[in-house]
Amino acid sequence: LFHARFPKTGIDLAKRLQLEEIRAVSDDPSEVGMDALFRLGFEGHTLGLPLVGTQRSVRGLTRRHLREAYHRHVAAGNIVVAMVGDVDPERVLRSMEKSTPLLPALTGDPFAAKSWSPPTSLRRELIERLERKTELFFGFRGLSVRSEERFALELLTTLLAGQSGRLFDALRESHGGVYDVDAVSWEGLDAGMLALSFTTSPEGEDGCIKVFWDSIHRVLNDGFSDEELQRAKRSLIGGFEISCQRRGAVAYRLAYDLAYRLGIEGPGDYAGRIEAVGHEQLAQVGQKSLGDEGRVEVVLRGRA
């Protein structure tokens, strides 16, 4: 990490692997749909760019570009280390102090907000594919990683498309050909997105869209039952506790929270934050996200 050389052979190999990944993304309908969703939803912002880059951008990378990026990030004040396990903290610190070179100071604020205007009305895109199926993606206004409402939005995501979630049940009951019902709540530094998606046959597209919006409107108007809320909470907390059985997952969460200046809550605080979400807070975040007219839609439709 501290003595990176960036040899030409290593750069060539890394670029070749990334170009292969870019080609693989274009073959995956889910990746294509999500990339389009972010491009439409975050137009004019770096969040709208594909995460793996483009053929042109990756081919154009040079050793100079990599070294410039390296020196921007590997700087004093921009590195977080988290260790979880049977370690002696003082001994670890002494060892790190001996092996860590004097790093340059961080230049600029890595958390400076980027100017961006979110959509104020519907943005829609149709992409034709060879597959004999239709995949629909809906992107709604999300939250930043620092928002205190992000736990309510995470719960809403599970209530919509988790196992026995509202959308999952409604779509599967009305159209047996629906599958891959999914919901993802993604939070960034400046903004976020709640993405909902499902796959169906071309013949079932119109009916599924009607069921989808009927379900969204019922959520906005009537909310969820106590039983649904408790079931979703148990699912989230149970999944989180299982992940925390791995020390690496705990270390990752601590490092993430510190790096993004979210403070140190610790894994034990997650359950409390989820349990604290009530119907009122859930309704508020639902209106802000699902009730916002500035949404984006992407349809991947098989050619007739």
Side-chain angles (χ1 to χ4, degrees):
L1 175 64
F2 299 125
H3 304 284
R5 302 293 183 186
F6 299 106
K8 184 179 184 304
T9 53
I11 294 174
D12 290 344
L13 174 61
K15 288 172 69 172
R16 189 161 62 249
L17 292 174
Q18 189 145 341
L19 288 169
E20 290 175 3
E21 186 176 353
I22 291 171
R23 284 190 287 271
V25 165
S26 65
D27 293 332
D28 186 334
S30 296
E31 295 282 357
V32 171
M34 289 301 294
D35 276 356
L37 212 60
F38 272 70
R39 174 167 44 80
L40 290 175
F42 298 109
E43 185 178 6
H45 193 286
T46 52
L47 290 175
L49 301 174
L51 192 61
V52 295
T54 64
Q55 294 272 350
R56 181 180 179 182
S57 65
V58 172
R59 291 185 190 279
L61 287 175
T62 65
R63 188 170 186 267
R64 177 177 62 82
H65 292 134
L66 297 175
R67 290 192 64 82
E68 288 175 355
Y70 171 81
H71 289 301
R72 279 199 307 271
H73 293 283
V74 183
N78 201 37
I79 297 175
V80 169
V81 178
M83 295 187 183
V84 175
D86 186 13
V87 297
D88 180 342
E90 294 300 324
R91 183 179 178 184
V92 169
L93 285 173
R94 287 195 300 270
S95 176
M96 290 185 64
E97 287 170 355
K98 291 178 182 178
S99 61
T100 305
L102 184 64
L103 297 173
L106 184 65
T107 58
D109 181 6
F111 297 97
K114 296 177 177 64
S115 60
W116 165 69
S117 299
T120 56
S121 59
L122 172 64
R123 294 177 183 174
R124 197 169 192 264
E125 182 172 319
L126 171 64
I127 301 174
E128 289 191 341
R129 303 276 294 183
L130 294 176
E131 296 91 344
R132 178 63 179 162
K133 59 183 179 180
T134 297
E135 300 196 38
L136 298 108
F137 300 81
F138 303 84
F140 299 89
R141 184 78 58 87
L143 301 170
S144 80
V145 73
R146 294 196 181 95
S147 173
E148 287 298 312
E149 293 181 306
R150 67 186 186 278
F151 297 96
L153 188 59
E154 186 175 359
L155 191 56
L156 177 63
T157 305
T158 300
L159 282 160
L160 286 171
Q163 195 70 26
S164 299
R166 184 69 66 86
L167 278 179
F168 183 89
D169 283 350
L171 287 167
R172 292 301 298 270
E173 286 179 9
S174 60
H175 292 271
V178 173
Y179 54 99
D180 289 342
V181 181
D182 196 15
V184 178
S185 173
W186 185 90
E187 290 83 37
L189 283 173
D190 299 331
M193 178 182 287
L194 171 60
L196 306 176
S197 63
F198 61 89
T199 303
T200 185
S201 64
E203 297 79 12
E205 179 181 337
D206 291 340
C208 287
I209 291 176
K210 182 179 184 306
V211 173
F212 174 85
W213 284 115
D214 286 346
S215 300
I216 295 297
H217 293 148
R218 279 199 296 273
V219 166
L220 292 174
N221 294 329
D222 305 326
F224 299 92
S225 67
D226 290 338
E227 182 183 354
E228 287 177 297
L229 187 57
Q230 291 306 315
R231 185 169 61 236
K233 287 181 177 181
R234 287 195 302 270
S235 175
L236 275 178
I237 294 171
F240 180 79
E241 289 177 346
I242 290 173
S243 73
C244 287
Q245 293 174 4
R246 295 181 292 109
R247 287 188 290 271
V250 178
Y252 177 84
R253 179 176 176 83
L254 292 172
Y256 179 94
D257 287 350
L258 281 170
Y260 283 91
R261 302 175 187 172
L262 302 177
I264 304 178
E265 292 182 336
D269 297 305
Y270 178 82
R273 301 297 292 270
I274 293 295
E275 287 287 8
V277 177
H279 289 286
E280 183 177 354
Q281 188 181 7
L282 202 59
Q284 289 173 351
V285 79
Q287 287 291 342
K288 287 181 182 179
S289 183
L290 301 174
D292 195 317
E293 292 297 322
R295 68 178 188 274
V296 291
E297 298 179 5
V298 175
V299 180
L300 270 63
R301 185 178 294 149
R303 297 193 184 108

